[in-house]
Amino acid sequence: MKPTILVTGANGQLGTVLIPALRIRYGTDNVIASDLRPAAAYTGRFEVIDATNEDRLAEVVRDNGVTQIYHLAAILSASGEQDPLRTWRINMTALLNVLEVARKANVEKVFYPSTIAVFGESAQLTNTPNDSFLDPLTAYGISKAAGENWAQYYFVKYGLDVRSVRYPGVIGYQSDPGGGTTDYAVDIFHKAVLGKPYTCFLQEDEMLPMIFMDDAIRATIELMEAPSEGIKIRTSYNLSGLSFCPADLVAAIKVVYPDFQVDFAPDFRQEIASKWPDSIDDTPAREDWGWEPGFDLQQLVTAMIENLQKKYNNPNPRIGKNQAAA
């Protein structure tokens, strides 16, 4: 039988792409999107859920016979630093509600997204191992590290099949930046295609691990479909795609848009990024459930530009929309 899947935080960067992928795989009627409000012109099954409301979450799970939950709702790193206590309260309350509802309703599987923000100053910056000591320095990272331990607790204590990956920066054309420290690598493409200058909030040499959205979605589904006996890590798996710095990305974009103008004005997000790894060792994910990334930097840049040109109705690969209009 196909699973009945509930996705929280459906309107976010990951949710807007994951839901169509799940519906293609399992059928439209078997995937229920949920968030604080429906997205504009939304199609398919949707439930209004505040994940901090356990009763409402339990009602939807019970009434729809949900067998899997993908819990994506969270406040991200840069946004989270504006109100750290609120970030902790919302992120932790929502996760614990999901875990408790899943336990009580005998939900078969739960997906919990973690992040490279769980790594702090104790972590090796290059090829950061999966078993690194976690001492995050953002409210978002602290909440995600705590969530990893709760995920393992519910697996060991109650046998709840919780699975998790630590996403690096996720780059996709399907949605706008969502408040993350790595979101420069999304916003910069929009500016390039529109022929606008871009001011980067990180230093030009700040190396960070990234992943293309298509790879991130595929990894998520592959993890959830892997045999349970193969899942040996119940906190969270490192996930790696590629690593680059803003200067690398600008150079790759300028191959297509040679007149693209970029300035660098590091802000508080630079301090966050400087504590994160330069690259990730995801050997356990490769060995346990066969993870393998599919996009390098050139392929990522090509995919982003081609799809954003379509979005902005800009067929000329070397002329931004504003420049063409001039």
Side-chain angles (χ1 to χ4, degrees), residues 77-79 81-82 181 201-202 265-273:
S77 59
S79 301
E81 289 307 285
Q82 305 307 308
T181 300
F201 52 74
L202 298 183
D267 62 15
F268 73 97
R269 288 165 286 194
Q270 172 56 42
E271 184 177 356
I272 296 173

Side-chain angles (χ1 to χ4, degrees), residues 18-320:
L18 178 63
I19 289 167
L22 291 173
R23 286 177 170 164
I24 289 171
R25 198 164 189 87
Y26 301 117
T28 298
D29 290 341
N30 293 320
V31 180
I32 306 165
S34 73
D35 213 313
L36 297 173
R37 61 191 63 84
Y42 195 88
T43 59
R45 298 179 68 183
F46 189 95
E47 295 283 349
V48 174
I49 299 177
D50 179 345
T52 64
N53 184 333
E54 183 180 353
D55 290 340
R56 173 58 179 157
L57 183 64
E59 176 187 34
V60 172
V61 169
R62 179 186 64 249
D63 291 351
N64 293 278
V66 169
T67 60
Q68 295 185 18
I69 301 175
Y70 287 70
H71 176 52
L72 306 183
I75 298 175
L76 302 183
S77 59
S79 301
E81 289 307 285
Q82 305 307 308
D83 193 339
L85 295 184
R86 177 175 177 268
T87 299
W88 168 263
R89 184 172 61 252
I90 289 177
N91 287 1
M92 294 310 303
T93 300
L95 171 62
L96 289 171
N97 284 347
V98 167
L99 294 175
E100 271 294 277
V101 167
R103 177 182 71 85
K104 293 174 182 177
N106 294 315
V107 169
E108 295 173 3
K109 296 178 186 178
V110 173
F111 175 74
Y112 171 63
S114 191
T115 167
I116 60 169
V118 298
F119 298 118
E121 293 183 330
S122 296
Q124 171 181 312
L125 289 180
T126 302
N127 293 324
T128 306
N130 209 107
D131 60 356
S132 297
F133 181 77
L134 304 184
D135 55 350
L137 291 171
T138 63
Y140 171 65
I142 291 169
S143 71
K144 286 296 185 179
E148 289 188 15
N149 288 324
W150 277 115
Q152 179 167 256
Y153 180 87
Y154 270 75
F155 172 73
V156 173
K157 181 79 172 181
Y158 303 115
L160 181 62
D161 190 352
V162 189
R163 307 180 182 195
S164 177
V165 293
R166 293 171 181 153
Y167 290 116
V170 180
I171 303 172
Y173 55 84
Q174 297 92 338
S175 60
D176 294 332
T181 300
T182 57
D183 277 349
Y184 87 88
V186 178
D187 193 23
I188 194 170
F189 284 102
H190 290 261
K191 296 299 192 296
V193 172
L194 290 172
K196 297 179 179 180
Y198 179 68
T199 299
C200 183
F201 52 74
L202 298 183
Q203 293 176 2
E204 59 185 316
D205 61 350
E206 184 58 63
M207 187 75 68
L208 287 170
M210 302 284 188
I211 192 169
F212 187 52
M213 178 66 78
D214 290 15
D215 275 349
I217 296 302
R218 179 170 56 82
T220 303
I221 294 174
E222 286 179 357
L223 172 67
M224 289 294 280
E225 290 185 343
S228 59
E229 59 270 19
I231 307 302
K232 300 175 183 178
I233 295 175
R234 291 294 179 167
T235 49
S236 192
Y237 279 96
N238 278 1
L239 188 68
S240 180
L242 66 164
S243 289
F244 56 79
C245 64
D248 295 330
L249 188 55
V250 171
I253 292 173
K254 282 193 171 187
V255 172
V256 181
Y257 294 101
D259 297 325
F260 184 40
Q261 298 179 2
V262 178
D263 294 320
F264 295 90
D267 62 15
F268 73 97
R269 288 165 286 194
Q270 172 56 42
E271 184 177 356
I272 296 173
S274 68
K275 305 296 192 300
W276 288 354
D278 299 334
S279 57
I280 296 291
D281 180 357
D282 59 3
T283 300
R286 293 171 184 258
E287 292 179 345
D288 291 357
W289 45 278
W291 163 244
E292 188 72 36
F295 284 80
D296 60 20
L297 181 58
Q298 181 178 349
Q299 292 168 319
L300 182 153
V301 169
T302 298
M304 286 293 292
I305 289 176
E306 288 181 350
N307 282 282
L308 288 177
Q309 285 173 348
K310 294 175 184 176
K311 175 179 179 177
Y312 293 118
N313 192 26
N314 176 21
N316 192 320
R318 288 184 173 271
I319 302 177

